[in-house]
Amino acid sequence: EKGGYPHFMLKEIFEQPDCIHDCMRGRINVDADNVVLSAVIDNKERLLSAKRFIIVACGTSWHAGLIGKQLIESFCRIPVEVEYASEFRYRDPVINEQDVVIAISQSGETADTLAAVELAKSRGAFIYGICNAIGSSIPRATHTGSYIHVGPEIGVASTKAFTGQVTVLAMLALTLAKEKGTIDERYYLSVVRELNQIPEKMKEVLKLNDKLAELSKTFTYAHNFIYLGRGYSYPVALEGALKLKEISYIHAEGYPAAEMKHGPIALIDAEMPVVVIATQNALYEKVLSNIQEIKARKGRVIAFVTKGDTVISQIADCSIELPETIECLNPLITTVPLQLLAYHIAVCKGMDVDQPRNLAKSVTVE
Ligand code: M6R
């Protein structure tokens, strides 16, 4: 049932090109020039009249929510807040009929996310679910939603659900932006075309598996890791750190790279591995100088860069080249090697990656 893979987690990482393809099936047309999420079209008036969106989720789904915020704000010009469901439900939040709540959950059974949905519903908000498990409790409690259609996820560490959630959020933002007229037609086309290319590019990334397995051996000594990224890569840094914590039991922190100088840089020494997502984007030069600051303190930099980058490879201890993509879809590419890195480090340490200690696949109690 693991399809020849030693663990479900590795199988699910490798399934991602097919999963993303399935997730887009029937939603992006064959010419790859139009995307339609039917739930968005069916509830157009309600969504377009919203004063703001609030995304509620936990764990990895919350990280997908942070990317969703950037996508929706940038394409649709609607303010978006992202909340931990567990905090939102106990905070007596300001929420009313003019709000749309997006609940993201792989299992559709997370107790805190479900309670956040019920609370928001009782205050008159419109609830849109982004879930994987068909017919689970959260989709049943929401007004509408879109399934991510990535198939059952067995590994406790969420992998393909995350990329599926980001894909649906991108399609939601694109569908809504087109209806709202807030997205430039050429830019819209370039994002849809690029989204359609993601499965092929993910296949390219998966070819790095052996290289990442080899690299992982060097890091089993570490007790701490730092993950850095900016913009769309900041949530990816958080997600990479969470994957490592969950399955290898190495303490890891994700940070927006520029926050380093406000405290965490004090942790850097020759023992500290720092994973930096440093692909080509508007903030590339800034991330480059963040890397220089880390190297000046002798940190060990593992950089994920865009193919052809010759600058960072000179400075970083190790640089891994990834296929180029449009900035807003970069998380769909950069997340994959971080999943593999966490997986291989955990395997090198002899950990049970599919059933890590103290964790359950669905957190149905608070
Ligand atoms: O099923 P959900 O997406 O609601 O689950 C939320 C979190 O419990 C989940 O993402 C958790 O953080 C994973 N173990 C992360 O790999």
Side-chain angles (χ1 to χ4, degrees), residues 307-362:
K307 201 177 277 170
D309 188 312
T310 50
V311 180
I312 290 180
S313 53
Q314 308 277 319
I315 321 166
D317 297 78
C318 163
S319 70
I320 292 159
E321 297 196 7
L322 302 174
E324 190 181 2
T325 184
I326 202 161
E327 185 165 351
C328 62
L329 299 180
N330 215 22
L332 293 170
I333 298 299
T334 49
T335 301
V336 178
L338 299 190
Q339 296 167 343
L340 287 169
L341 185 70
Y343 171 80
H344 288 295
I345 292 177
V347 169
C348 286
K349 293 189 71 178
M351 303 307 180
D352 182 351
V353 294
D354 282 337
Q355 289 290 331
R357 70 185 181 202
N358 309 339
L359 294 174
K361 183 63 186 161
S362 343

Side-chain angles (χ1 to χ4, degrees), residues 58-61 105-107 110 156-158 165 242-243 246 363:
C58 305
T60 286
S61 300
S105 174
Q106 186 287 128
S107 62
T110 300
V156 166
S158 185
Q165 289 160 348
L242 178 62
K243 288 293 85 100
E246 280 189 293
V363 186

Side-chain angles (χ1 to χ4, degrees), residues 19-302:
C19 293
I20 300 312
H21 189 263
D22 291 345
C23 175
M24 297 187 300
R25 194 197 311 273
R27 291 166 165 175
I28 295 186
N29 65 346
V30 281
D31 298 329
D33 59 8
N34 194 37
V35 45
V36 171
L37 269 196
S38 52
V40 172
I41 302 298
D42 295 347
N43 298 281
K44 201 165 82 179
E45 277 74 38
R46 190 67 184 78
L47 296 172
L48 288 176
S49 62
K51 290 269 183 297
R52 74 178 165 162
F53 281 20
I54 302 168
I55 298 179
V56 295
C58 305
T60 286
S61 300
W62 184 79
H63 296 154
L66 294 178
I67 297 168
K69 171 186 165 76
Q70 295 192 42
L71 289 164
I72 297 168
E73 288 192 341
S74 119
F75 297 177
C76 312
R77 312 313 300 163
I78 302 171
V80 184
E81 289 163 26
V82 189
E83 299 242 20
Y84 286 117
S86 56
E87 290 295 313
F88 177 86
R89 64 178 289 198
Y90 286 117
R91 214 166 35 74
D92 189 16
V94 179
I95 177 154
N96 56 44
E97 310 77 43
Q98 296 187 312
D99 295 317
V100 165
V101 167
I102 301 180
I104 309 177
S105 174
Q106 186 287 128
S107 62
E109 298 296 347
T110 300
D112 283 321
T113 311
L114 184 57
V117 164
E118 298 294 1
L119 171 69
K121 219 163 62 169
S122 73
R123 306 271 173 95
F126 184 75
I127 324 287
Y128 193 113
I130 298 181
C131 297
N132 190 35
I134 316 273
S136 53
S137 303
I138 294 171
R140 281 189 277 121
T142 51
H143 295 111
T144 189
S146 306
Y147 283 111
I148 61 174
H149 292 306
V150 299
E153 191 181 64
I154 311 290
V156 166
S158 185
T159 53
K160 61 179 182 172
F162 177 78
T163 44
Q165 289 160 348
V166 172
T167 304
V168 165
L169 285 160
M171 293 192 291
L172 184 153
L174 286 166
T175 310
L176 200 58
K178 196 164 185 200
E179 292 297 325
K180 202 162 180 247
T182 45
I183 192 163
D184 173 76
E185 180 65 19
R186 263 175 315 171
Y187 180 62
Y188 171 89
L189 264 181
S190 63
V191 180
V192 181
R193 293 239 155 87
E194 194 54 33
L195 200 49
N196 205 44
Q197 292 302 311
I198 291 292
E200 282 311 308
K201 294 193 177 178
M202 278 180 162
K203 285 185 193 161
E204 243 182 273
V205 178
L206 291 168
K207 291 186 189 146
L208 294 166
N209 186 41
D210 291 346
K211 188 171 179 184
L212 289 164
E214 201 49 42
L215 177 70
S216 300
K217 293 182 190 155
T218 349
F219 290 106
T220 44
Y221 77 88
H223 294 288
N224 296 287
F225 257 78
I226 291 179
Y227 284 70
L228 302 176
R230 297 188 76 160
Y232 281 100
S233 300
Y234 159 51
V236 175
L238 297 183
E239 174 58 8
L242 178 62
K243 288 293 85 100
L244 189 71
K245 280 184 264 212
E246 280 189 293
I247 57 171
S248 74
Y249 317 143
I250 295 174
H251 170 242
E253 293 215 42
Y255 261 98
E259 272 296 302
M260 282 297 282
K261 55 182 154 317
H262 300 286
I265 201 159
L267 295 167
I268 306 289
D269 62 14
E271 302 279 283
M272 179 67 92
V274 185
V275 173
V276 189
I277 302 131
T279 44
Q280 273 301 340
N281 62 37
L283 293 170
Y284 175 81
E285 295 294 333
K286 309 247 178 227
V287 177
L288 176 61
S289 69
N290 297 142
I291 292 177
Q292 283 157 340
E293 287 154 16
I294 299 159
K295 281 318 295 173
R297 287 153 188 90
K298 304 200 164 37
R300 296 179 63 182
V301 173
I302 309 148

